[in-house]
Short mmCIF file of all heavy atoms in Angstrom, two decimals:
data_model
loop_
_atom_site.label_atom_id
_atom_site.label_comp_id
_atom_site.label_asym_id
_atom_site.label_seq_id
_atom_site.Cartn_x
_atom_site.Cartn_y
_atom_site.Cartn_z
N PRO B 31 -9.43 -50.57 -38.96
CA PRO B 31 -9.95 -51.15 -40.21
C PRO B 31 -9.05 -50.93 -41.42
O PRO B 31 -8.99 -51.78 -42.31
CB PRO B 31 -11.31 -50.46 -40.39
CG PRO B 31 -11.21 -49.22 -39.55
CD PRO B 31 -10.32 -49.56 -38.40
N ASN B 32 -8.36 -49.79 -41.45
CA ASN B 32 -7.48 -49.53 -42.58
C ASN B 32 -6.30 -50.49 -42.59
O ASN B 32 -5.95 -51.07 -43.63
CB ASN B 32 -6.98 -48.08 -42.54
CG ASN B 32 -6.14 -47.71 -43.73
OD1 ASN B 32 -6.54 -47.89 -44.88
ND2 ASN B 32 -4.96 -47.20 -43.48
N ALA B 33 -5.67 -50.67 -41.43
CA ALA B 33 -4.55 -51.60 -41.33
C ALA B 33 -5.00 -53.03 -41.58
O ALA B 33 -4.32 -53.82 -42.25
CB ALA B 33 -3.90 -51.48 -39.95
N ARG B 34 -6.17 -53.39 -41.07
CA ARG B 34 -6.69 -54.74 -41.27
C ARG B 34 -6.91 -55.02 -42.76
O ARG B 34 -6.57 -56.10 -43.25
CB ARG B 34 -8.00 -54.90 -40.50
CG ARG B 34 -8.57 -56.32 -40.57
CD ARG B 34 -9.96 -56.36 -39.94
NE ARG B 34 -10.50 -57.71 -39.98
CZ ARG B 34 -11.78 -58.00 -39.75
NH1 ARG B 34 -12.64 -57.02 -39.48
NH2 ARG B 34 -12.20 -59.24 -39.83
N ARG B 35 -7.49 -54.05 -43.48
CA ARG B 35 -7.72 -54.24 -44.91
C ARG B 35 -6.40 -54.46 -45.66
O ARG B 35 -6.28 -55.35 -46.50
CB ARG B 35 -8.45 -53.01 -45.46
CG ARG B 35 -8.61 -53.00 -46.98
CD ARG B 35 -9.18 -51.66 -47.43
NE ARG B 35 -8.31 -50.56 -47.06
CZ ARG B 35 -7.25 -50.19 -47.76
NH1 ARG B 35 -6.90 -50.86 -48.86
NH2 ARG B 35 -6.54 -49.16 -47.37
N VAL B 36 -5.39 -53.64 -45.33
CA VAL B 36 -4.10 -53.74 -46.01
C VAL B 36 -3.43 -55.08 -45.68
O VAL B 36 -2.87 -55.74 -46.56
CB VAL B 36 -3.21 -52.55 -45.62
CG1 VAL B 36 -1.80 -52.74 -46.16
CG2 VAL B 36 -3.80 -51.26 -46.15
N PHE B 37 -3.45 -55.47 -44.41
CA PHE B 37 -2.81 -56.71 -44.02
C PHE B 37 -3.48 -57.93 -44.69
O PHE B 37 -2.79 -58.86 -45.13
CB PHE B 37 -2.86 -56.87 -42.49
CG PHE B 37 -1.94 -55.95 -41.75
CD1 PHE B 37 -2.16 -55.62 -40.42
CD2 PHE B 37 -0.83 -55.38 -42.38
CE1 PHE B 37 -1.30 -54.78 -39.73
CE2 PHE B 37 0.03 -54.53 -41.71
CZ PHE B 37 -0.21 -54.23 -40.39
N ARG B 38 -4.78 -57.93 -44.73
CA ARG B 38 -5.48 -59.07 -45.35
C ARG B 38 -5.15 -59.18 -46.83
O ARG B 38 -4.97 -60.28 -47.34
CB ARG B 38 -7.00 -58.93 -45.14
CG ARG B 38 -7.44 -59.00 -43.71
CD ARG B 38 -8.94 -59.00 -43.55
NE ARG B 38 -9.51 -60.25 -44.03
CZ ARG B 38 -10.81 -60.56 -43.93
NH1 ARG B 38 -11.65 -59.69 -43.37
NH2 ARG B 38 -11.27 -61.70 -44.37
N ARG B 39 -5.08 -58.06 -47.49
CA ARG B 39 -4.75 -58.12 -48.91
C ARG B 39 -3.31 -58.55 -49.13
O ARG B 39 -3.01 -59.29 -50.07
CB ARG B 39 -5.00 -56.75 -49.56
CG ARG B 39 -4.92 -56.78 -51.08
CD ARG B 39 -5.53 -55.58 -51.71
NE ARG B 39 -5.45 -55.64 -53.16
CZ ARG B 39 -6.29 -56.27 -53.95
NH1 ARG B 39 -7.32 -56.94 -53.42
NH2 ARG B 39 -6.15 -56.27 -55.25
N ALA B 40 -2.39 -58.12 -48.27
CA ALA B 40 -1.00 -58.53 -48.39
C ALA B 40 -0.84 -60.04 -48.21
O ALA B 40 0.01 -60.66 -48.85
CB ALA B 40 -0.14 -57.78 -47.38
N LEU B 41 -1.65 -60.62 -47.34
CA LEU B 41 -1.60 -62.07 -47.15
C LEU B 41 -2.08 -62.83 -48.38
O LEU B 41 -1.70 -63.99 -48.60
CB LEU B 41 -2.44 -62.48 -45.94
CG LEU B 41 -1.80 -62.35 -44.57
CD1 LEU B 41 -2.76 -62.82 -43.49
CD2 LEU B 41 -0.51 -63.16 -44.51
N GLN B 42 -2.91 -62.19 -49.20
CA GLN B 42 -3.44 -62.84 -50.39
C GLN B 42 -2.56 -62.65 -51.62
O GLN B 42 -2.85 -63.20 -52.68
CB GLN B 42 -4.84 -62.28 -50.69
CG GLN B 42 -5.86 -62.57 -49.62
CD GLN B 42 -7.19 -61.87 -49.87
OE1 GLN B 42 -7.25 -60.84 -50.58
NE2 GLN B 42 -8.26 -62.39 -49.32
N CYS B 43 -1.47 -61.89 -51.48
CA CYS B 43 -0.62 -61.60 -52.63
C CYS B 43 -0.05 -62.88 -53.24
O CYS B 43 0.46 -63.76 -52.51
CB CYS B 43 0.54 -60.69 -52.21
SG CYS B 43 1.54 -60.07 -53.59
N LYS B 44 -0.16 -63.00 -54.54
CA LYS B 44 0.34 -64.15 -55.29
C LYS B 44 -0.28 -65.47 -54.83
O LYS B 44 0.38 -66.50 -54.76
CB LYS B 44 1.87 -64.21 -55.21
CG LYS B 44 2.57 -63.00 -55.82
CD LYS B 44 4.06 -63.11 -55.72
CE LYS B 44 4.73 -61.86 -56.27
NZ LYS B 44 6.22 -61.91 -56.16
N THR B 45 -1.58 -65.39 -54.49
CA THR B 45 -2.34 -66.58 -54.15
C THR B 45 -3.60 -66.60 -55.01
O THR B 45 -4.02 -65.56 -55.54
CB THR B 45 -2.73 -66.59 -52.66
OG1 THR B 45 -3.66 -65.53 -52.41
CG2 THR B 45 -1.50 -66.41 -51.77
N PRO B 46 -4.26 -67.77 -55.15
CA PRO B 46 -5.50 -67.82 -55.95
C PRO B 46 -6.61 -66.94 -55.43
O PRO B 46 -7.58 -66.70 -56.14
CB PRO B 46 -5.88 -69.31 -55.85
CG PRO B 46 -4.59 -70.02 -55.61
CD PRO B 46 -3.79 -69.09 -54.73
N ALA B 47 -6.48 -66.41 -54.19
CA ALA B 47 -7.53 -65.55 -53.64
C ALA B 47 -7.70 -64.26 -54.41
O ALA B 47 -8.75 -63.61 -54.33
CB ALA B 47 -7.23 -65.25 -52.16
N LEU B 48 -6.70 -63.83 -55.15
CA LEU B 48 -6.77 -62.60 -55.96
C LEU B 48 -6.94 -62.88 -57.44
O LEU B 48 -6.87 -61.96 -58.25
CB LEU B 48 -5.52 -61.75 -55.73
CG LEU B 48 -5.33 -61.20 -54.33
CD1 LEU B 48 -4.06 -60.35 -54.24
CD2 LEU B 48 -6.53 -60.36 -53.90
N GLY B 49 -7.13 -64.13 -57.81
CA GLY B 49 -7.29 -64.47 -59.21
C GLY B 49 -5.98 -64.85 -59.87
O GLY B 49 -4.90 -64.60 -59.31
N ARG B 50 -6.09 -65.44 -61.05
CA ARG B 50 -4.92 -65.91 -61.76
C ARG B 50 -5.03 -65.57 -63.25
O ARG B 50 -6.11 -65.28 -63.74
CB ARG B 50 -4.76 -67.41 -61.59
CG ARG B 50 -4.37 -67.86 -60.19
CD ARG B 50 -4.62 -69.35 -60.00
NE ARG B 50 -6.06 -69.63 -59.97
CZ ARG B 50 -6.58 -70.86 -59.95
NH1 ARG B 50 -5.78 -71.91 -60.02
NH2 ARG B 50 -7.87 -71.03 -59.90
N ARG B 51 -3.89 -65.64 -63.92
CA ARG B 51 -3.83 -65.48 -65.38
C ARG B 51 -3.20 -66.72 -65.98
O ARG B 51 -2.21 -67.25 -65.46
CB ARG B 51 -3.04 -64.23 -65.75
CG ARG B 51 -3.74 -62.92 -65.43
CD ARG B 51 -2.80 -61.75 -65.49
NE ARG B 51 -1.84 -61.82 -64.37
CZ ARG B 51 -0.82 -60.99 -64.23
NH1 ARG B 51 -0.61 -60.04 -65.12
NH2 ARG B 51 0.01 -61.11 -63.22
N PHE B 52 -3.78 -67.14 -67.10
CA PHE B 52 -3.38 -68.41 -67.73
C PHE B 52 -2.63 -68.11 -69.03
O PHE B 52 -3.13 -67.37 -69.89
CB PHE B 52 -4.61 -69.27 -68.01
CG PHE B 52 -4.31 -70.66 -68.44
CD1 PHE B 52 -3.69 -71.56 -67.57
CD2 PHE B 52 -4.62 -71.10 -69.72
CE1 PHE B 52 -3.42 -72.86 -67.97
CE2 PHE B 52 -4.34 -72.39 -70.12
CZ PHE B 52 -3.74 -73.27 -69.24
N TYR B 53 -1.40 -68.66 -69.16
CA TYR B 53 -0.57 -68.48 -70.35
C TYR B 53 -0.21 -69.85 -70.92
O TYR B 53 -0.03 -70.83 -70.17
CB TYR B 53 0.72 -67.73 -70.01
CG TYR B 53 0.52 -66.27 -69.66
CD1 TYR B 53 0.13 -65.89 -68.39
CD2 TYR B 53 0.73 -65.28 -70.62
CE1 TYR B 53 -0.05 -64.56 -68.05
CE2 TYR B 53 0.55 -63.95 -70.31
CZ TYR B 53 0.16 -63.58 -69.03
OH TYR B 53 -0.01 -62.26 -68.72
N VAL B 54 -0.09 -69.89 -72.25
CA VAL B 54 0.27 -71.15 -72.90
C VAL B 54 1.27 -70.89 -74.02
O VAL B 54 1.40 -69.78 -74.54
CB VAL B 54 -0.96 -71.87 -73.48
CG1 VAL B 54 -1.98 -72.21 -72.42
CG2 VAL B 54 -1.61 -71.02 -74.58
N SER B 55 2.00 -71.95 -74.38
CA SER B 55 2.84 -71.98 -75.57
C SER B 55 2.71 -73.37 -76.17
O SER B 55 1.90 -74.20 -75.67
CB SER B 55 4.31 -71.70 -75.21
OG SER B 55 4.86 -72.76 -74.46
N GLU B 56 3.44 -73.65 -77.21
CA GLU B 56 3.37 -74.98 -77.83
C GLU B 56 3.88 -76.06 -76.89
O GLU B 56 3.52 -77.24 -77.05
CB GLU B 56 4.18 -74.99 -79.12
CG GLU B 56 3.66 -74.03 -80.20
CD GLU B 56 4.54 -74.06 -81.42
OE1 GLU B 56 5.59 -74.75 -81.40
OE2 GLU B 56 4.18 -73.38 -82.41
N ASN B 57 4.69 -75.68 -75.91
CA ASN B 57 5.34 -76.70 -75.09
C ASN B 57 4.90 -76.70 -73.63
O ASN B 57 5.16 -77.66 -72.92
CB ASN B 57 6.87 -76.46 -75.11
CG ASN B 57 7.40 -76.35 -76.52
OD1 ASN B 57 7.33 -77.28 -77.29
ND2 ASN B 57 7.96 -75.18 -76.86
N GLU B 58 4.22 -75.62 -73.17
CA GLU B 58 3.98 -75.53 -71.75
C GLU B 58 2.76 -74.66 -71.45
O GLU B 58 2.36 -73.83 -72.27
CB GLU B 58 5.22 -74.92 -71.06
CG GLU B 58 5.25 -75.02 -69.56
CD GLU B 58 6.54 -74.47 -68.99
OE1 GLU B 58 7.44 -74.11 -69.77
OE2 GLU B 58 6.64 -74.40 -67.75
N GLU B 59 2.18 -74.90 -70.28
CA GLU B 59 1.09 -74.07 -69.75
C GLU B 59 1.47 -73.59 -68.36
O GLU B 59 2.05 -74.34 -67.58
CB GLU B 59 -0.22 -74.88 -69.67
CG GLU B 59 -0.74 -75.38 -70.99
CD GLU B 59 -2.00 -76.20 -70.82
OE1 GLU B 59 -2.38 -76.45 -69.65
OE2 GLU B 59 -2.61 -76.56 -71.84
N ARG B 60 1.13 -72.32 -68.06
CA ARG B 60 1.46 -71.76 -66.75
C ARG B 60 0.34 -70.89 -66.23
O ARG B 60 -0.38 -70.26 -67.01
CB ARG B 60 2.75 -70.93 -66.80
CG ARG B 60 4.04 -71.74 -66.99
CD ARG B 60 5.23 -70.80 -66.97
NE ARG B 60 6.45 -71.49 -67.37
CZ ARG B 60 7.62 -70.89 -67.56
NH1 ARG B 60 7.71 -69.57 -67.39
NH2 ARG B 60 8.68 -71.58 -67.92
N GLU B 61 0.22 -70.86 -64.92
CA GLU B 61 -0.71 -69.96 -64.24
C GLU B 61 0.09 -69.02 -63.33
O GLU B 61 1.01 -69.47 -62.64
CB GLU B 61 -1.73 -70.74 -63.40
CG GLU B 61 -2.73 -71.52 -64.23
CD GLU B 61 -3.74 -72.24 -63.36
OE1 GLU B 61 -3.64 -72.09 -62.11
OE2 GLU B 61 -4.62 -72.92 -63.90
N PHE B 62 -0.28 -67.74 -63.35
CA PHE B 62 0.37 -66.76 -62.50
C PHE B 62 -0.69 -66.09 -61.63
O PHE B 62 -1.69 -65.58 -62.14
CB PHE B 62 1.10 -65.69 -63.34
CG PHE B 62 2.21 -66.23 -64.18
CD1 PHE B 62 1.99 -66.60 -65.50
CD2 PHE B 62 3.48 -66.39 -63.65
CE1 PHE B 62 3.02 -67.10 -66.28
CE2 PHE B 62 4.52 -66.88 -64.43
CZ PHE B 62 4.29 -67.23 -65.74
N CYS B 63 -0.47 -66.11 -60.32
CA CYS B 63 -1.40 -65.46 -59.40
C CYS B 63 -1.19 -63.95 -59.42
O CYS B 63 -0.07 -63.47 -59.55
CB CYS B 63 -1.20 -66.00 -57.99
SG CYS B 63 -1.63 -67.75 -57.79
N ASN B 64 -2.27 -63.20 -59.28
CA ASN B 64 -2.20 -61.75 -59.27
C ASN B 64 -1.57 -61.25 -57.97
O ASN B 64 -1.61 -61.93 -56.94
CB ASN B 64 -3.60 -61.15 -59.43
CG ASN B 64 -4.18 -61.44 -60.80
OD1 ASN B 64 -3.46 -61.53 -61.78
ND2 ASN B 64 -5.50 -61.59 -60.86
N THR B 65 -1.01 -60.05 -58.04
CA THR B 65 -0.39 -59.44 -56.87
C THR B 65 -1.39 -58.54 -56.15
O THR B 65 -2.43 -58.16 -56.69
CB THR B 65 0.85 -58.64 -57.27
OG1 THR B 65 0.46 -57.65 -58.25
CG2 THR B 65 1.91 -59.55 -57.88
N CYS B 66 -1.03 -58.14 -54.91
CA CYS B 66 -1.98 -57.41 -54.07
C CYS B 66 -1.95 -55.91 -54.29
O CYS B 66 -2.89 -55.20 -53.92
CB CYS B 66 -1.69 -57.72 -52.60
SG CYS B 66 -0.08 -57.12 -52.02
N LYS B 67 -0.85 -55.37 -54.83
CA LYS B 67 -0.67 -53.93 -55.02
C LYS B 67 -0.70 -53.17 -53.71
O LYS B 67 -0.91 -51.95 -53.67
CB LYS B 67 -1.74 -53.35 -55.95
CG LYS B 67 -1.96 -54.10 -57.25
CD LYS B 67 -0.75 -54.08 -58.14
CE LYS B 67 -1.03 -54.67 -59.51
NZ LYS B 67 -1.49 -56.05 -59.48
N SER B 68 -0.46 -53.85 -52.61
CA SER B 68 -0.43 -53.22 -51.29
C SER B 68 0.99 -52.77 -50.99
O SER B 68 1.82 -53.55 -50.52
CB SER B 68 -0.93 -54.20 -50.23
OG SER B 68 -0.89 -53.60 -48.95
N LEU B 69 1.29 -51.51 -51.26
CA LEU B 69 2.65 -51.03 -51.23
C LEU B 69 3.23 -50.99 -49.82
O LEU B 69 4.41 -51.25 -49.62
CB LEU B 69 2.72 -49.63 -51.85
CG LEU B 69 2.01 -49.46 -53.20
CD1 LEU B 69 2.24 -48.06 -53.71
CD2 LEU B 69 2.46 -50.50 -54.20
N VAL B 70 2.41 -50.65 -48.83
CA VAL B 70 2.94 -50.45 -47.47
C VAL B 70 2.93 -51.71 -46.64
O VAL B 70 3.32 -51.69 -45.48
CB VAL B 70 2.13 -49.36 -46.75
CG1 VAL B 70 2.36 -48.01 -47.40
CG2 VAL B 70 0.65 -49.71 -46.76
N ALA B 71 2.48 -52.84 -47.22
CA ALA B 71 2.46 -54.08 -46.46
C ALA B 71 3.08 -55.24 -47.20
O ALA B 71 3.27 -56.30 -46.62
CB ALA B 71 1.01 -54.44 -46.07
N CYS B 72 3.41 -55.05 -48.45
CA CYS B 72 3.98 -56.13 -49.26
C CYS B 72 5.33 -55.66 -49.82
O CYS B 72 5.38 -54.70 -50.59
CB CYS B 72 3.03 -56.51 -50.39
SG CYS B 72 3.65 -57.82 -51.47
N THR B 73 6.40 -56.34 -49.43
CA THR B 73 7.72 -55.91 -49.87
C THR B 73 7.90 -56.08 -51.37
O THR B 73 8.58 -55.29 -52.02
CB THR B 73 8.79 -56.71 -49.11
OG1 THR B 73 8.51 -58.13 -49.25
CG2 THR B 73 8.82 -56.36 -47.64
N SER B 74 7.30 -57.12 -51.95
CA SER B 74 7.44 -57.35 -53.37
C SER B 74 6.74 -56.28 -54.19
O SER B 74 7.33 -55.66 -55.09
CB SER B 74 6.88 -58.74 -53.72
OG SER B 74 6.91 -58.96 -55.12
N CYS B 75 5.48 -56.01 -53.89
CA CYS B 75 4.72 -54.99 -54.63
C CYS B 75 5.29 -53.59 -54.35
O CYS B 75 5.29 -52.73 -55.24
CB CYS B 75 3.25 -55.05 -54.24
SG CYS B 75 2.41 -56.56 -54.75
#
Side-chain angles (χ1 to χ4, degrees):
N32 184 52
R34 184 188 181 194
R35 173 187 60 82
V36 172
F37 288 158
R38 294 186 70 175
R39 190 163 181 85
L41 278 181
Q42 297 173 336
C43 188
K44 298 180 182 178
T45 67
L48 295 181
R50 291 163 290 172
R51 288 165 292 174
F52 190 65
Y53 290 82
V54 300
S55 68
E56 297 178 355
N57 308 298
E58 193 177 354
E59 298 179 354
R60 289 182 189 173
E61 290 182 0
F62 297 94
C63 294
N64 294 328
T65 57
C66 65
K67 311 296 188 300
S68 179
L69 312 183
V70 292
C72 179
T73 52
S74 175
C75 294

